[in-house]
Amino acid sequence: MNPLLDQFISESRDAIQAIGERLLQLENAPDDLELMDELFRLVHTLKGNSGLFDFPEMTRVLHGAEDLMDAVRDRRIGYSQTLADQLLEAMDFVSALLDEILAAGSTSLPANGDRGSDAVALTQALRQLIPVPDDAADAANATDATNPDPQAPPTATGEETPSPLMGVPEAARMAAYKQVAAGQPCTWLRYEPEEECFFKGEDPFYQMIQLPAPLWQQVSAREPWATPENLDAYRCLLRFECIIPLGPEPLAEHFRYVPDQVTLLPLTPEALAVPVGDDDHDGVPIEEYLKTAMGHLEAGQREGLIQASRVMLELASPRLRMASALRWLVLALETCPEDGTLPRTLLTALGPKTAPPPAPAAGEAPATADMPPILRDILQAQAEILALEDTPPWLAGRLRAVAASLRAAFTQLGQPELLDGLDNALAEALTAEASTPLALWLAERMPKTATPPAPASQPAPQGNGSNGGNGNGREPRKFGRRVEDTYAGPSAIKVDQAKIDRLMNLIGEMIVAKNALPYLAARAEEVFGVRELAREIKGQYGTLNRIADEMQDAIMQVRLLPVSFVFQRFPRLVRDTAHKLGKEVRLVMEGESTEADKNVIESLADPLVHILRNSLDHGLETPEERRAAGKPAAGRLTISARSESDRVVIEITDDGRGIDPEAIRRKAYEKGIIDEQALERMTEQEALNLIFAPGFSTATQVSNLSGRGVGMDVVRTAVARVNGSIDLKSRPGQGTRLRLSLPLSMAVTNVMVIVSAGQRFGVAMDAVAETVRVAQAHIQLIKHRMTTVLRGRVVPLVTLNDLLALNQPQIPNEDGELAVVVVRIDGDFVGIIVDDCRETVDIILKPLAGFLGDLGGYAGSALLGDGSVLLVLNPRELL
Amino acid sequence: MKRILVIDDAATVRLYHREILEQAGFAVTEAVNGLEALEKLETGPPFDLYLVDINMPKLDGYGFLRALRKKDIPQAPAIMISTESSPSDRADALMAGANLYIIKPIKPDQLLPLVRGLLGEERQP
């Protein structure tokens, strides 16, 4: 997969995780402003990242989420349960999409109609939470119109957001203007059906013709049409644009199923009356006219103004922007005689540019007709910066950066000769602590095409008069931190797990290789008779051994993870599950910083989830039941972790109804798991352990949470796979406690070497309770089974040769005693008779591969120091 | 080789810009927030161009630009990259010391001409 996508998925997952955590924290501290800011930033980053790829559904949902969080951050709405639920649901959706992307391994996802409609529904739900500003419902839509769709490719520099109305012919705008002026609301509408709309039963064309007759309409393609042989006729790329004589509300209602595909812009006279055309005066004496016109306007002489304007119109070429402005002026004066605002705006627009830079007289500007728009944008931005009237402490740096940008732009323009005087102008500006000298320098060289567009289409970016004062001491608004704030980021690095696994394997091999040295020393002494060398080898071995041990320890440290890695998702899980079940639960987590090997931690995740669901579903009672039983309404669920020597112990305790051993016993009997005799003899603890039996499920009815056909036997198997054990205690009416005991690390296993039928085998020391020698006379046959009594306890015996189908009797020692390894399996003791017990060794256990992997009786194999292979037994499966 | 500092808290965005710019033959350095970017300036030579995100923890884009422009080092152009598009953001960016304000997501063929234009590289035929 491409590294960018890889990075995207991993960063998104981290963000989603963090969002979940922040939301839960907010639940306890709903007024924490920092948390909200952080939440917003997380969502914002997610959305920004998704925009780099083509995941429209994801971006759509995240955009909704971002807007919602923006409202929260700006305190337009407070934190609420609904909000958290909605946001979590959105994150679940994104998470699922990430899974799909990961599975597909590329940015192109198979089409899926549900996904699209889910996204629309989710986005709508998110947006519904955002309070609509006072004005009207259409304000939200109007905002959409000014904020271009994040999907849409930005303009060359992305800095201009021209009104969509600029694309509408003047005549159509004038028609709409008359309607609006007459009190008939009009709305500009853009409808961009999604590409798969035909597959969702949508009919965009029908939607459009259902509308009242438009004043103007246009259908275009959103991207250039493919050649006929490549054209996918089922992909909708249409863009409908029109002006409808209706207010935005009925239109929003009409498009209520596809609100995110529609942009509505309620029309005002000012928005419509935008003069367009060539920006040139064509030698027409406009100044004289302007003076007269302004005079007429001030004096309220409408007729005179119309008259003067008509004369000007005769003189000017109709394609000029000036002519367009004049036409609007006449129309405005004729339609709304008493309104002077629009004529004034239009006249001002016709006047000399007040915005810098002062336009040089025509003809003097360098010929830069072929100037690329990008360079023009750069120059224009610099002009804008130089027009700023503030004098912040960083003014000098800003001026020098502008000079650097100008130098670069003119160099790239291939006109370095224009750079003459730049250094002087900069020096002058720096001395004067003002932008003016540089602004003048630029104005002389500024191509006239680069003059800023009319004020109507560009909200004045210059901080002038009214708001100029805030430039100086202005602090960053939303996420501002000062430079002096200390940086307290974690100094951790992320490493691919495969690299650490490789290190682990290598150190394993080294330990095995190192173990060959004592054999070598023995051979040197015994076979070759060089005792001196043997001693030196042993000395070297000692050193090597110490280093290897430390190294192994260090690598294991790297692999250690805190259990919080698994625990962190529980608050959400418990919260959601309890929610669905209508129960109240207080979750207590303890010892989250306890560490264990990554593999062990990861293997814990699923069993723990299952146990928690069981506790919530079957263990804890409903609030009513609890009150009736004299307990607090909210149940308590505790998950604790702690280290005990080289093991991690995890306990899940609830104060629920507990497990009734009688019910278990009866159930097990009904299901045929135990026979009648067992039913009678069984102790309560044994009965409880029956819930771990395959095919057992205590719930009388399968609920949609824990009862998914898997029972606690799956949990036990999963725990056993990492050499862990599980233990259950329960008291009816008081609660249940499950205790999981797991090794800290699975990497190195301590095994005892045993001998049987001339072969060596290993047994994990975890399972070995004790080793004893039993005189043959002390072995009795009870019900055809060999047993013996050890410390007052009856222990059944089996011979290893029988278990492995090695057709040989076990060999006793000279005193007629048999070696017995007593193993503990789920609290029961069983003695395995072997020929002899030897030393214990640390080995790197490797699971059997290939067809040997099916041999359940072996846990795996390991290489011994002398190069021989040791098969390690799995007593649980063997017995 | 021209050196560009990419400042963004989103690793994906940093990687995206790095790939575009490195393929075009520029040397890219990354910083995860304004503060780290300032640290890079303390410890190494100044850069030829800065690509600055707005919303970042610790120190945001405005803060970084203001601090950068106060420094007594050769001042290079800076492009501020935002996902928001309100005019006030643009004015704030230019005021703080940006030389250009653009909105993401930005496609490679849009970013590169801007970068070249601000670096004064020879015009591509």
Side-chain angles (χ1 to χ4, degrees), chain A residues 7-8 11 41 44 49 157-159 382 384-385 390 394 397-398 400-401 405 408 412 474 476-477 479 481, chain B residues 10-13 55 57-60 66 69 73 77 83 89-90 92 95 98-99 102-103 117-118 120-121 123:
Chain A
Q7 173 71 56
F8 167 67
E11 192 176 21
R41 204 176 47 242
H44 174 79
N49 285 353
T157 60
E159 58 184 43
Q382 305 320 303
E384 225 173 283
I385 296 168
D390 60 336
W394 57 90
R398 198 167 76 188
R400 298 204 332 250
S405 304
Q412 229 226 340
R474 199 182 180 96
R477 295 161 312 149
F479 297 107
R481 301 284 161 87
Chain B
T12 310
V13 173
N55 287 333
K58 317 268 188 221
L59 180 67
D60 66 7
R66 276 193 287 265
R69 296 306 182 211
I73 53 170
T83 42
D89 281 348
R90 175 181 153 87
D92 287 348
M95 215 175 264
N99 295 97
I102 62 179
I103 296 159
L118 280 175
E121 299 258 304
R123 205 162 152 188

Short mmCIF file of all heavy atoms in Angstrom, two decimals, chain A residues 7-8 11 41 44 49 157-159 382 384-385 390 394 397-398 400-401 405 408 412 474 476-477 479 481, chain B residues 10-13 55 57-60 66 69 73 77 83 89-90 92 95 98-99 102-103 117-118 120-121 123:
data_model
loop_
_atom_site.label_atom_id
_atom_site.label_comp_id
_atom_site.label_asym_id
_atom_site.label_seq_id
_atom_site.Cartn_x
_atom_site.Cartn_y
_atom_site.Cartn_z
N GLN A 7 0.08 6.05 6.28
CA GLN A 7 0.22 7.10 7.28
C GLN A 7 -1.15 7.66 7.65
O GLN A 7 -1.46 7.86 8.82
CB GLN A 7 1.11 8.21 6.70
CG GLN A 7 1.21 9.43 7.56
CD GLN A 7 2.02 9.15 8.80
OE1 GLN A 7 3.17 8.71 8.71
NE2 GLN A 7 1.44 9.34 9.96
N PHE A 8 -1.96 7.84 6.62
CA PHE A 8 -3.29 8.39 6.83
C PHE A 8 -4.10 7.48 7.75
O PHE A 8 -4.74 7.94 8.70
CB PHE A 8 -3.99 8.56 5.48
CG PHE A 8 -5.45 8.83 5.57
CD1 PHE A 8 -5.90 10.03 6.09
CD2 PHE A 8 -6.37 7.90 5.13
CE1 PHE A 8 -7.26 10.28 6.17
CE2 PHE A 8 -7.73 8.15 5.22
CZ PHE A 8 -8.17 9.35 5.74
N GLU A 11 -2.66 7.48 11.34
CA GLU A 11 -2.92 8.74 12.05
C GLU A 11 -4.41 8.89 12.37
O GLU A 11 -4.79 9.37 13.44
CB GLU A 11 -2.42 9.93 11.21
CG GLU A 11 -2.40 11.22 12.01
CD GLU A 11 -1.81 12.38 11.23
OE1 GLU A 11 -1.77 12.33 9.99
OE2 GLU A 11 -1.38 13.36 11.87
N ARG A 41 -9.63 20.15 17.31
CA ARG A 41 -8.44 20.02 16.49
C ARG A 41 -8.30 18.61 15.94
O ARG A 41 -7.89 18.40 14.80
CB ARG A 41 -7.20 20.43 17.26
CG ARG A 41 -6.10 20.85 16.30
CD ARG A 41 -4.87 21.37 16.98
NE ARG A 41 -4.47 20.51 18.05
CZ ARG A 41 -4.42 20.88 19.31
NH1 ARG A 41 -4.74 22.09 19.64
NH2 ARG A 41 -4.05 20.04 20.24
N HIS A 44 -10.71 18.25 13.17
CA HIS A 44 -10.24 19.13 12.10
C HIS A 44 -9.09 18.47 11.33
O HIS A 44 -9.08 18.45 10.09
CB HIS A 44 -9.79 20.44 12.75
CG HIS A 44 -9.15 21.40 11.82
ND1 HIS A 44 -9.87 22.19 10.97
CD2 HIS A 44 -7.85 21.69 11.58
CE1 HIS A 44 -9.05 22.94 10.26
NE2 HIS A 44 -7.81 22.65 10.62
N ASN A 49 -7.00 15.70 6.64
CA ASN A 49 -6.29 14.58 6.03
C ASN A 49 -7.14 13.86 4.99
O ASN A 49 -6.67 13.48 3.93
CB ASN A 49 -5.88 13.58 7.11
CG ASN A 49 -4.71 14.08 7.92
OD1 ASN A 49 -4.12 15.11 7.60
ND2 ASN A 49 -4.38 13.38 8.97
N THR A 157 -4.94 29.88 -6.38
CA THR A 157 -4.27 30.08 -5.11
C THR A 157 -5.21 29.72 -3.98
O THR A 157 -4.81 29.72 -2.84
CB THR A 157 -3.87 31.54 -4.93
OG1 THR A 157 -5.08 32.31 -4.97
CG2 THR A 157 -2.95 32.00 -6.01
N GLY A 158 -6.41 29.42 -4.31
CA GLY A 158 -7.37 29.08 -3.28
C GLY A 158 -7.77 30.28 -2.46
O GLY A 158 -8.39 30.14 -1.43
N GLU A 159 -7.43 31.46 -2.86
CA GLU A 159 -7.68 32.58 -1.97
C GLU A 159 -8.88 33.40 -2.39
O GLU A 159 -9.33 34.24 -1.65
CB GLU A 159 -6.44 33.47 -1.90
CG GLU A 159 -6.02 34.00 -3.26
CD GLU A 159 -4.74 34.80 -3.15
OE1 GLU A 159 -3.84 34.35 -2.45
OE2 GLU A 159 -4.67 35.87 -3.75
N GLN A 382 1.45 40.33 -2.04
CA GLN A 382 2.48 41.19 -1.43
C GLN A 382 1.97 42.62 -1.36
O GLN A 382 2.19 43.32 -0.36
CB GLN A 382 3.78 41.13 -2.23
CG GLN A 382 4.35 39.73 -2.45
CD GLN A 382 4.23 38.83 -1.26
OE1 GLN A 382 4.72 39.15 -0.18
NE2 GLN A 382 3.56 37.70 -1.42
N GLU A 384 -1.01 43.52 -1.05
CA GLU A 384 -1.99 43.55 0.04
C GLU A 384 -1.30 43.66 1.39
O GLU A 384 -1.74 44.39 2.28
CB GLU A 384 -2.78 42.24 -0.01
CG GLU A 384 -4.26 42.41 0.14
CD GLU A 384 -4.94 41.08 -0.09
OE1 GLU A 384 -5.07 40.66 -1.26
OE2 GLU A 384 -5.29 40.45 0.91
N ILE A 385 -0.20 42.91 1.54
CA ILE A 385 0.53 42.95 2.81
C ILE A 385 1.10 44.36 3.02
O ILE A 385 1.03 44.91 4.12
CB ILE A 385 1.69 41.93 2.80
CG1 ILE A 385 1.13 40.51 2.70
CG2 ILE A 385 2.53 42.06 4.07
CD1 ILE A 385 2.17 39.46 2.40
N ASP A 390 -0.94 48.33 9.99
CA ASP A 390 -0.46 48.09 11.35
C ASP A 390 1.06 48.17 11.39
O ASP A 390 1.74 48.06 10.37
CB ASP A 390 -0.91 46.72 11.85
CG ASP A 390 -0.37 45.60 10.98
OD1 ASP A 390 -0.06 45.88 9.80
OD2 ASP A 390 -0.25 44.47 11.46
N TRP A 394 6.96 42.79 14.51
CA TRP A 394 7.63 41.95 13.51
C TRP A 394 7.57 42.59 12.11
O TRP A 394 7.75 41.93 11.12
CB TRP A 394 7.03 40.55 13.49
CG TRP A 394 5.55 40.53 13.22
CD1 TRP A 394 4.95 40.44 12.01
CD2 TRP A 394 4.50 40.58 14.17
NE1 TRP A 394 3.60 40.45 12.13
CE2 TRP A 394 3.28 40.54 13.46
CE3 TRP A 394 4.45 40.67 15.57
CZ2 TRP A 394 2.05 40.57 14.10
CZ3 TRP A 394 3.21 40.69 16.19
CH2 TRP A 394 2.05 40.65 15.46
N GLY A 397 10.67 42.12 9.81
CA GLY A 397 10.75 40.78 9.24
C GLY A 397 9.73 40.61 8.13
O GLY A 397 10.00 40.00 7.10
N ARG A 398 8.55 41.16 8.35
CA ARG A 398 7.49 41.02 7.35
C ARG A 398 7.90 41.72 6.06
O ARG A 398 7.72 41.19 4.97
CB ARG A 398 6.20 41.61 7.91
CG ARG A 398 4.96 41.15 7.18
CD ARG A 398 3.72 41.50 7.94
NE ARG A 398 3.40 42.92 7.82
CZ ARG A 398 2.42 43.53 8.52
NH1 ARG A 398 1.72 42.83 9.40
NH2 ARG A 398 2.17 44.79 8.35
N ARG A 400 10.95 42.34 5.03
CA ARG A 400 12.04 41.63 4.37
C ARG A 400 11.52 40.38 3.66
O ARG A 400 11.98 40.03 2.57
CB ARG A 400 13.13 41.26 5.38
CG ARG A 400 13.70 42.54 5.98
CD ARG A 400 15.10 42.47 6.55
NE ARG A 400 15.59 41.23 7.06
CZ ARG A 400 15.79 40.99 8.36
NH1 ARG A 400 15.50 41.91 9.25
NH2 ARG A 400 16.28 39.85 8.73
N ALA A 401 10.53 39.74 4.27
CA ALA A 401 9.96 38.56 3.62
C ALA A 401 9.21 38.94 2.35
O ALA A 401 9.24 38.23 1.35
CB ALA A 401 9.03 37.83 4.59
N SER A 405 9.96 37.69 -1.37
CA SER A 405 8.93 37.12 -2.23
C SER A 405 8.88 37.84 -3.57
O SER A 405 8.74 37.23 -4.63
CB SER A 405 7.56 37.21 -1.56
OG SER A 405 7.60 36.58 -0.30
N ALA A 408 11.79 36.87 -5.71
CA ALA A 408 11.58 35.53 -6.28
C ALA A 408 10.60 35.59 -7.44
O ALA A 408 10.84 35.04 -8.52
CB ALA A 408 11.08 34.58 -5.20
N GLN A 412 11.40 34.78 -11.31
CA GLN A 412 10.75 33.69 -12.02
C GLN A 412 10.01 34.19 -13.24
O GLN A 412 9.83 33.47 -14.20
CB GLN A 412 9.80 32.95 -11.08
CG GLN A 412 10.04 31.45 -11.15
CD GLN A 412 8.79 30.67 -11.27
OE1 GLN A 412 7.71 31.15 -10.96
NE2 GLN A 412 8.92 29.44 -11.73
N ARG A 474 -2.53 41.98 18.40
CA ARG A 474 -3.43 40.88 18.15
C ARG A 474 -2.81 39.55 18.57
O ARG A 474 -1.69 39.22 18.21
CB ARG A 474 -3.72 40.84 16.67
CG ARG A 474 -4.94 40.05 16.35
CD ARG A 474 -5.14 40.03 14.85
NE ARG A 474 -6.34 39.27 14.56
CZ ARG A 474 -7.50 39.82 14.37
NH1 ARG A 474 -7.61 41.11 14.44
NH2 ARG A 474 -8.54 39.06 14.10
N PRO A 476 -3.18 35.27 18.72
CA PRO A 476 -3.87 34.20 17.98
C PRO A 476 -5.19 33.89 18.67
O PRO A 476 -5.28 33.95 19.90
CB PRO A 476 -2.91 33.03 18.09
CG PRO A 476 -1.93 33.41 19.16
CD PRO A 476 -1.88 34.88 19.17
N ARG A 477 -6.19 33.57 17.86
CA ARG A 477 -7.50 33.52 18.45
C ARG A 477 -7.84 32.20 19.09
O ARG A 477 -8.18 32.12 20.24
CB ARG A 477 -8.54 33.86 17.41
CG ARG A 477 -8.42 35.29 16.92
CD ARG A 477 -9.13 35.44 15.64
NE ARG A 477 -8.76 34.36 14.74
CZ ARG A 477 -9.54 33.88 13.85
NH1 ARG A 477 -10.76 34.31 13.75
NH2 ARG A 477 -9.13 32.91 13.05
N PHE A 479 -6.24 28.76 18.94
CA PHE A 479 -5.33 27.80 19.54
C PHE A 479 -4.06 28.47 20.01
O PHE A 479 -3.02 27.89 20.10
CB PHE A 479 -4.96 26.72 18.54
CG PHE A 479 -6.14 25.93 18.13
CD1 PHE A 479 -6.70 26.09 16.88
CD2 PHE A 479 -6.72 25.07 19.03
CE1 PHE A 479 -7.81 25.38 16.54
CE2 PHE A 479 -7.84 24.36 18.67
CZ PHE A 479 -8.39 24.51 17.43
N ARG A 481 -0.96 29.77 21.58
CA ARG A 481 -0.08 29.58 22.72
C ARG A 481 1.07 30.51 22.48
O ARG A 481 1.41 30.83 21.36
CB ARG A 481 0.47 28.15 22.79
CG ARG A 481 -0.60 27.10 22.89
CD ARG A 481 -1.18 27.08 24.31
NE ARG A 481 -2.46 26.42 24.28
CZ ARG A 481 -2.60 25.10 24.39
NH1 ARG A 481 -1.56 24.35 24.54
NH2 ARG A 481 -3.79 24.56 24.35
N ALA B 10 -0.49 17.37 11.41
CA ALA B 10 -1.00 16.12 10.84
C ALA B 10 0.11 15.45 10.03
O ALA B 10 0.60 16.00 9.05
CB ALA B 10 -2.20 16.40 9.95
N ALA B 11 0.48 14.26 10.48
CA ALA B 11 1.58 13.55 9.83
C ALA B 11 1.26 13.26 8.37
O ALA B 11 2.13 13.30 7.50
CB ALA B 11 1.86 12.25 10.58
N THR B 12 -0.02 13.01 8.10
CA THR B 12 -0.41 12.69 6.73
C THR B 12 -0.14 13.88 5.81
O THR B 12 0.37 13.72 4.70
CB THR B 12 -1.89 12.32 6.69
OG1 THR B 12 -2.13 11.34 7.69
CG2 THR B 12 -2.26 11.75 5.35
N VAL B 13 -0.50 15.06 6.30
CA VAL B 13 -0.29 16.25 5.49
C VAL B 13 1.20 16.48 5.27
O VAL B 13 1.64 16.82 4.16
CB VAL B 13 -0.94 17.47 6.17
CG1 VAL B 13 -0.59 18.74 5.43
CG2 VAL B 13 -2.44 17.28 6.26
N ASN B 55 -3.89 25.67 12.38
CA ASN B 55 -4.26 25.07 13.66
C ASN B 55 -3.26 24.01 14.09
O ASN B 55 -3.19 22.95 13.49
CB ASN B 55 -5.64 24.43 13.55
CG ASN B 55 -6.72 25.48 13.50
OD1 ASN B 55 -6.54 26.57 14.03
ND2 ASN B 55 -7.82 25.16 12.86
N PRO B 57 -1.21 22.44 17.86
CA PRO B 57 -1.05 22.58 19.30
C PRO B 57 0.26 23.30 19.62
O PRO B 57 1.08 23.50 18.72
CB PRO B 57 -1.04 21.14 19.80
CG PRO B 57 -0.61 20.33 18.62
CD PRO B 57 -1.05 21.07 17.40
N LYS B 58 0.44 23.62 20.88
CA LYS B 58 1.65 24.29 21.40
C LYS B 58 1.82 25.71 20.85
O LYS B 58 1.81 26.67 21.59
CB LYS B 58 2.93 23.50 21.10
CG LYS B 58 2.78 22.02 21.33
CD LYS B 58 3.19 21.64 22.73
CE LYS B 58 3.22 20.13 22.84
NZ LYS B 58 2.67 19.68 24.10
N LEU B 59 2.04 25.80 19.54
CA LEU B 59 2.18 27.14 18.95
C LEU B 59 1.58 27.07 17.56
O LEU B 59 2.03 26.27 16.73
CB LEU B 59 3.67 27.53 18.89
CG LEU B 59 3.93 28.91 18.28
CD1 LEU B 59 3.37 30.00 19.17
CD2 LEU B 59 5.42 29.13 18.06
N ASP B 60 0.58 27.89 17.30
CA ASP B 60 -0.11 27.79 16.02
C ASP B 60 0.65 28.54 14.92
O ASP B 60 1.70 29.14 15.15
CB ASP B 60 -1.56 28.27 16.14
CG ASP B 60 -1.65 29.75 16.45
OD1 ASP B 60 -0.61 30.42 16.44
OD2 ASP B 60 -2.76 30.23 16.70
N ARG B 66 4.72 35.14 13.45
CA ARG B 66 5.10 36.36 14.16
C ARG B 66 6.50 36.22 14.76
O ARG B 66 7.33 37.13 14.67
CB ARG B 66 4.09 36.66 15.26
CG ARG B 66 2.87 37.41 14.74
CD ARG B 66 2.06 37.96 15.90
NE ARG B 66 1.37 36.89 16.58
CZ ARG B 66 0.11 36.55 16.31
NH1 ARG B 66 -0.58 37.22 15.44
NH2 ARG B 66 -0.46 35.56 16.95
N ARG B 69 9.15 36.27 11.99
CA ARG B 69 9.41 37.58 11.41
C ARG B 69 10.14 38.49 12.38
O ARG B 69 10.67 39.53 11.99
CB ARG B 69 8.09 38.24 10.95
CG ARG B 69 7.38 37.50 9.81
CD ARG B 69 8.27 37.26 8.62
NE ARG B 69 7.56 36.58 7.52
CZ ARG B 69 8.13 35.76 6.67
NH1 ARG B 69 9.43 35.47 6.78
NH2 ARG B 69 7.44 35.20 5.69
N ILE B 73 17.18 36.97 11.07
CA ILE B 73 17.77 36.01 10.14
C ILE B 73 17.27 36.38 8.75
O ILE B 73 16.31 37.15 8.63
CB ILE B 73 17.34 34.55 10.46
CG1 ILE B 73 15.81 34.46 10.53
CG2 ILE B 73 17.96 34.07 11.75
CD1 ILE B 73 15.29 33.03 10.59
N PRO B 77 10.11 33.71 2.17
CA PRO B 77 8.66 33.72 2.03
C PRO B 77 8.00 32.58 2.81
O PRO B 77 8.62 31.54 3.02
CB PRO B 77 8.44 33.53 0.53
CG PRO B 77 9.72 33.93 -0.11
CD PRO B 77 10.80 33.63 0.87
N THR B 83 -7.55 25.21 6.20
CA THR B 83 -8.71 24.52 5.66
C THR B 83 -9.92 25.42 5.76
O THR B 83 -10.97 25.11 5.25
CB THR B 83 -9.02 23.23 6.43
OG1 THR B 83 -8.86 23.49 7.80
CG2 THR B 83 -8.13 22.10 5.98
N ASP B 89 -9.37 35.05 8.14
CA ASP B 89 -8.22 34.19 8.28
C ASP B 89 -7.10 34.67 7.36
O ASP B 89 -5.94 34.67 7.73
CB ASP B 89 -8.58 32.75 7.91
CG ASP B 89 -9.31 32.07 9.04
OD1 ASP B 89 -9.30 32.63 10.14
OD2 ASP B 89 -9.87 30.99 8.81
N ARG B 90 -7.50 35.01 6.16
CA ARG B 90 -6.52 35.45 5.17
C ARG B 90 -5.83 36.73 5.63
O ARG B 90 -4.61 36.83 5.62
CB ARG B 90 -7.23 35.67 3.83
CG ARG B 90 -6.34 36.23 2.76
CD ARG B 90 -7.15 36.43 1.48
NE ARG B 90 -6.56 37.48 0.69
CZ ARG B 90 -5.58 37.29 -0.18
NH1 ARG B 90 -5.12 36.09 -0.36
NH2 ARG B 90 -5.09 38.29 -0.86
N ASP B 92 -5.58 37.79 8.68
CA ASP B 92 -4.74 37.48 9.85
C ASP B 92 -3.42 36.87 9.43
O ASP B 92 -2.37 37.17 9.99
CB ASP B 92 -5.48 36.49 10.77
CG ASP B 92 -6.61 37.18 11.52
OD1 ASP B 92 -6.65 38.42 11.48
OD2 ASP B 92 -7.43 36.47 12.12
N MET B 95 -1.16 39.45 7.91
CA MET B 95 -0.73 40.36 8.95
C MET B 95 0.37 39.72 9.79
O MET B 95 1.32 40.37 10.20
CB MET B 95 -1.94 40.69 9.83
CG MET B 95 -1.96 42.09 10.36
SD MET B 95 -3.49 42.35 11.25
CE MET B 95 -4.49 43.10 10.00
N ALA B 98 2.65 35.97 6.71
CA ALA B 98 2.61 35.05 5.58
C ALA B 98 2.70 35.87 4.29
O ALA B 98 2.28 37.02 4.24
CB ALA B 98 1.32 34.25 5.59
N ASN B 99 3.25 35.25 3.25
CA ASN B 99 3.31 35.95 1.97
C ASN B 99 2.26 35.45 0.99
O ASN B 99 2.05 36.00 -0.07
CB ASN B 99 4.70 35.79 1.36
CG ASN B 99 5.74 36.47 2.22
OD1 ASN B 99 6.39 35.83 3.04
ND2 ASN B 99 5.84 37.78 2.09
N ILE B 102 -3.23 29.97 1.24
CA ILE B 102 -3.94 29.03 0.37
C ILE B 102 -4.77 28.07 1.21
O ILE B 102 -4.58 27.95 2.42
CB ILE B 102 -2.99 28.23 -0.55
CG1 ILE B 102 -2.02 27.40 0.28
CG2 ILE B 102 -2.22 29.15 -1.46
CD1 ILE B 102 -1.09 26.58 -0.57
N ILE B 103 -5.69 27.39 0.54
CA ILE B 103 -6.61 26.53 1.26
C ILE B 103 -6.39 25.10 0.81
O ILE B 103 -6.28 24.82 -0.39
CB ILE B 103 -8.06 26.96 0.97
CG1 ILE B 103 -8.27 28.36 1.51
CG2 ILE B 103 -9.05 26.00 1.59
CD1 ILE B 103 -9.43 29.07 0.88
N GLY B 117 7.41 29.92 -7.66
CA GLY B 117 7.28 31.36 -7.79
C GLY B 117 7.86 32.09 -6.59
O GLY B 117 8.44 33.15 -6.72
N LEU B 118 7.71 31.49 -5.42
CA LEU B 118 8.21 32.16 -4.21
C LEU B 118 9.67 31.85 -3.96
O LEU B 118 10.30 32.44 -3.09
CB LEU B 118 7.37 31.75 -3.00
CG LEU B 118 6.04 32.50 -2.90
CD1 LEU B 118 5.20 31.95 -1.76
CD2 LEU B 118 6.27 33.98 -2.70
N GLY B 120 11.78 31.77 -6.61
CA GLY B 120 12.52 32.44 -7.67
C GLY B 120 13.25 31.47 -8.58
O GLY B 120 14.28 31.80 -9.14
N GLU B 121 12.72 30.29 -8.67
CA GLU B 121 13.33 29.31 -9.58
C GLU B 121 13.02 29.74 -11.00
O GLU B 121 12.03 30.41 -11.27
CB GLU B 121 12.72 27.94 -9.33
CG GLU B 121 12.96 27.44 -7.93
CD GLU B 121 14.06 26.43 -7.88
OE1 GLU B 121 13.96 25.42 -8.58
OE2 GLU B 121 15.05 26.66 -7.15
N ARG B 123 11.58 29.85 -14.53
CA ARG B 123 10.24 29.48 -14.96
C ARG B 123 10.29 28.17 -15.75
O ARG B 123 11.12 28.00 -16.63
CB ARG B 123 9.71 30.58 -15.85
CG ARG B 123 8.24 30.67 -15.90
CD ARG B 123 7.94 32.03 -16.43
NE ARG B 123 6.68 32.06 -17.12
CZ ARG B 123 6.28 33.12 -17.80
NH1 ARG B 123 7.07 34.17 -17.91
NH2 ARG B 123 5.12 33.12 -18.39
#
